Structure formats: structure tokens, C-alpha cells
Amino acid sequence: MAHTDQNEVLFERARAVIPGGVNSPVRAFRAVGGTPRFVKRAQGAYFWDAADKRYIDYIGSWGPMILGHGHPAVVEAVQRAVIDGFSFGAPTEREIELAEAILALVPSMEMVRLVSSGTEAAMSALRLARGATGRKYIIKFEGCYHGHADALLVKAGSGLATFGNPTSAGVPPEVVQHTLVLEYNNIAQLEEAFALHGHEIACLVIEAIAGNMNFVRASAEFAKRCRELCTQNGALLVFDEVMTGFRVGARGAQGVLGITPDLTVLGKVIGGGMPLAAFGGPRAIMEQLAPLGPVYQAGTLSGNPVATACGLATLKEVSKPGFYDALSKKTRALVDGLKAAAAAEGVPFCADSEGGMFGFFLLDALPQNYTAVMKSDGTKFNTLFHGLLDRGVYIAPALYEAGFVSAAHSDEDIAATIDAARQIFATL
Ligand SMILES: Cc1ncc(COP(=O)(O)O)c(C=O)c1O
């Protein structure tokens, strides 16, 4: 039967030539069912799909679009940069400007290396941590995502002594045998891991406000203990701020928690929607990188002139006084409104936000780790997701993803979203 909806037409075409019809799995709507929306264009807080239907966008390209789509200053900077050339494979002044802008905003970083994706940045930061410490082992936490480098596609083994098991085909068990996976916010387990393996651990990598198991904060005590144990054991503390960097505040999760990591991984907002990411830290560690030091790292498109122009223009806007206060207020209004609407309809619901990032759960209390997140009601979430989609509100198509509000979202957009959610809560 011929499809009448343009999104379905495109999905069928896409599936014939692209695995699953998408270039990144979560876009395929597998968790919620239905047809992915193919985006035709976007402006401000909205995008329009292939059938010309408008959506209020709470994904914002999974975080980068903090100013909303098509911000005039960013568009102008990109247009100017394109005229001067797309890529040179030789250094440019704009790379220095972006590096200077990032370092000025994130005091824990003295030097930064620009790359093209969060995966690449996290993978490179881990290689650097191993190279700088001369150690093999890394600690990560269940529910945190740091891109798809082989050593990070891993789930917990049967005990603290056993290290992890691969979560993807194509990753040999040997590749993850140095990755220890722990439960988020579990101080006792963290202490035990360091007691057992402390002298062999190169680094502990964490999303200190996790956005890949919806939205879960590291408790202040847990984050502090991560810092202390790394320091005491000579391991590096790596904050993966690909999602939280310039999103939860000007200084990311490290600013919110008041913790200074050794290495920071950035992405998303620093590229303003272009492929750009970075990792950085103290000079003595960063100078271990090639061409100065023995840790190899490179990229044909690293520091791309168009991407750096986009990132710089974006950082200039978010650095304006009051930017994060206004964004936080908006996000909190959304979260508070959703909570009130759910309470009015007797639906178990809890939510949290920081800066322009939020999460909600169909649970009575905010979860502290991945196991608790996955107790959220998947069937009800799917009803909520599709109900919102029908009403022109686009949230992440999976219950373990965070949401994003941009500076372009208006009070009316937020009110319309709460109203749409209230209608669906009434049916749950
Ligand atoms: C915290 C975190 N780290 C790393 C990555 C990987 O970034 P990318 O998708 O740009 O490779 C992501 C992507 O969502 C992320 O959220």
C-alpha cells in the first residue's frame, strides 16, 4: 500500500539504503514504535517534518542547539566562514579563538584539543589518561554514555574483581577487560573498587549530571568521593561534559557541583550544531599529546573552520550576562508545570532540571542510578511520547534520554507543552 504520509515515504526509502533508515540508532523510534519524523527545516524552538507539521523541539539535536535553530548571529558567522573555505588541514586563527574562549569559561582546563565528535573526544581523553598515568584500568558507571569507543561499550561483570562484558557485538571481551563498571551514586562500591584496584586505575570517567539515563545527578557526596579517591590513588578524574558543558551552566556540571576534574570532555554546545568536540585539562597532562608527547591523537577535520565559527558564535551568545538564569527559569517552569499537571491527574511523576537540561520519570521519586531509572513505566511513557508528538511536541523517543530547552523557547511554547501533557496525563 502506498504511504500517504511523507515521513513514512522517506522512512521506507531510507531503510532501503541506510541500516534501520537512520544514521544513529535512537532516531529510529525503536523504543516507542511508529515512524521517525524526517526534518525539513528548523527555526527557533521549532522544526517542521516532511509533512510540514510543526513541532516544539525539546531535543535540539540532542543538546547542541542551546540558542534554538538558526540563530541569526550564528548563521551569519557560518556563512562568512564558508566563503573563506571549508577545510584546510592547516591551523587557523579561529581555532585559537575557540580554544581561548573555552579555557576562559572552564577554569579547570589550561589547554584543549579540538576534535570532531564526543566519541572521539572521550576516547582520546581516556588514551591520554592511560598514557599520562602509565596505567591500564578505567572506571565508568552504569547508565553513563561516553560515545561508542570499544572499551566503553561495556556492562558490569559479575563482581568488582571481574571487570566488564561487551554490550555490542564486534567488541572482543579482551578490549573491555580493563574497564570496571560501577553503580552510579554507590559510594561503598566505589570505595571497594579503589581498595581493590586503586594503584592500577588510570582514570574514572563520569557524567556528573548524567543525561544518558534520562537525568540523574551525582550526589554531592558521591562526586566529592570520586575526586578524593582519584587524588589519593593517583588516578585522573575525567568529567564527560559532552552533554552538560555550557548546557547546565557556563561551567558545566563541574561548576554546579564545585568539583575540579583533571580532564574535561566537551562536545555538542561548543559546536553549536556542527561536528565539533574537545578535551582538555592541565598543561602538564595535555602536553603528553602528539606532537609534543608520546600519546598519539589526530584528525583530518579537527578544528574545522566552519565548525569553529559556529561554535565561537554560539559561545559568544551563551556568555552574555544572565543567559543561564533566563534559560534555567524557562526549564524550571516547564518541569514545574509538568509536575503540577501530572499531580492534578494523579499520575506518578517526578522531574528535575539544571540550566537548559531536564528529565522526567513516571515514578514517585527521582532515581539515583540506572536500575532505578529503568523502573519508569515504559508503556505510559510511550503513550505520553506519542500523545505529545500528535500535539506537535517533540521529546526524546526513549525514556532514558534527557530533554533540552533552548533560549528560543517562549513562555507560550512551554505553556502549550504543559497543556498537551495535561491532556495525556488525564488518559493514563
Ligand atoms: C555524555 C556524552 N559523551 C559522549 C557522547 C558521544 O558524543 P557524539 O555523539 O558526538 O560522538 C555523548 C553523546 O550523546 C554524550 O552524551
Side-chain angles (χ1 to χ4, degrees):
M1 200 182 81
H3 296 298
T4 49
D5 181 278
Q6 269 308 306
N7 294 292
E8 286 173 17
V9 172
L10 291 179
F11 194 35
E12 193 167 306
R13 250 179 82 197
R15 274 183 299 187
V17 289
I18 300 168
V22 292
N23 283 311
S24 198
V26 76
R27 297 177 197 170
F29 276 28
R30 296 289 280 250
V32 291
T35 307
R37 300 308 189 257
F38 281 70
V39 180
K40 220 173 185 178
R41 68 193 167 88
Q43 185 59 48
Y46 314 117
F47 74 77
W48 286 261
D49 73 5
D52 285 318
K53 177 169 168 162
R54 192 193 84 168
Y55 299 84
I56 305 173
D57 179 12
Y58 289 104
I59 298 188
S61 183
W62 299 94
M65 309 315 295
I66 197 164
L67 305 177
H69 298 282
H71 187 284
V74 180
V75 171
E76 195 195 328
V78 169
Q79 283 173 334
R80 264 200 265 132
V82 164
I83 288 167
D84 289 336
F86 299 168
S87 184
F88 314 120
T92 63
E93 184 174 358
R94 210 173 289 131
E95 291 166 81
I96 313 170
E97 285 173 1
L98 182 59
E100 287 170 348
I102 292 170
L103 300 184
L105 289 162
V106 188
S108 68
M109 296 164 75
E110 290 176 345
M111 294 188 107
V112 62
R113 170 68 51 94
L114 303 180
V115 297
S116 300
S117 75
T119 291
E120 195 188 350
M123 177 188 79
S124 305
L126 295 190
R127 184 181 306 138
L128 176 60
R130 283 171 158 162
T133 58
R135 298 174 176 186
K136 292 193 273 213
Y137 295 133
I138 57 182
I139 289 179
K140 86 173 278 290
F141 296 95
E142 195 181 16
C144 289
Y145 177 66
H146 308 291
H148 60 91
D150 282 356
L152 294 166
L153 294 180
V154 54
K155 61 175 184 268
S158 54
L160 286 183
T162 59
F163 289 80
N165 297 314
T167 53
S168 168
V171 178
E174 293 81 0
V175 175
V176 297
Q177 70 181 352
H178 301 123
T179 309
L180 186 55
V181 184
L182 305 182
E183 187 175 70
Y184 202 74
N185 277 325
N186 185 337
I187 293 178
Q189 201 186 58
L190 180 73
E191 289 176 341
E192 203 183 332
F194 270 98
L196 273 172
H197 304 290
H199 62 291
E200 297 170 301
I201 293 169
C203 68
L204 176 161
V205 59
I206 185 169
E207 287 182 82
I209 298 175
N212 287 288
M213 47 175 158
N214 202 319
F215 180 106
V216 180
R217 293 171 191 270
S219 71
E221 306 74 54
F222 183 70
K224 188 163 157 264
R225 208 65 194 114
C226 287
R227 176 66 280 177
E228 286 168 357
L229 287 166
C230 281
T231 305
Q232 286 161 15
N233 289 275
L236 301 183
L237 178 62
V238 182
F239 268 21
D240 181 345
E241 303 238 31
V242 167
M243 195 180 278
T244 50
F246 302 106
R247 168 55 70 178
V248 297
R251 286 181 51 209
Q254 55 197 271
V256 173
L257 281 156
I259 300 272
T260 305
D262 298 300
L263 294 177
T264 298
V265 185
L266 294 167
K268 300 193 191 263
V269 171
I270 62 162
M274 292 272 178
L276 200 153
F279 63 102
R283 185 174 301 278
I285 300 177
M286 293 303 288
E287 286 187 343
Q288 298 292 314
L289 282 175
L292 295 179
V295 179
Y296 190 69
Q297 192 280 325
T300 300
L301 296 177
S302 292
N304 175 271
V306 183
T308 46
C310 188
L312 256 178
T314 302
L315 287 194
K316 196 167 164 196
E317 294 301 315
V318 303
S319 305
K320 289 182 175 166
F323 179 87
Y324 287 101
D325 287 343
L327 185 64
S328 301
K329 219 177 273 171
K330 244 179 242 195
T331 315
R332 215 167 304 128
L334 173 68
V335 158
D336 289 346
L338 290 174
K339 281 201 258 190
E345 301 298 339
V347 175
F349 186 91
C350 59
D352 196 3
S353 72
E354 190 70 47
M357 180 170 157
F358 69 92
F360 65 80
F361 304 90
L362 295 157
L363 293 170
D364 289 318
L366 288 171
Q368 300 301 309
N369 58 45
Y370 181 72
T371 307
V373 168
M374 294 322 263
K375 292 195 175 129
S376 199
D377 189 324
T379 308
K380 281 189 182 155
F381 174 82
N382 288 357
T383 305
L384 181 60
F385 171 80
H386 281 292
L388 288 173
L389 200 65
D390 288 347
R391 290 165 178 79
V393 176
Y394 192 72
I395 62 167
L399 61 78
Y400 46 81
E401 303 286 356
F404 304 99
V405 173
S406 80
H409 285 76
S410 66
D411 293 345
E412 291 72 29
D413 294 327
I414 304 247
T417 304
I418 295 165
D419 192 47
R422 182 176 297 119
Q423 293 171 28
I424 305 152
F425 288 145
T427 69
L428 290 181

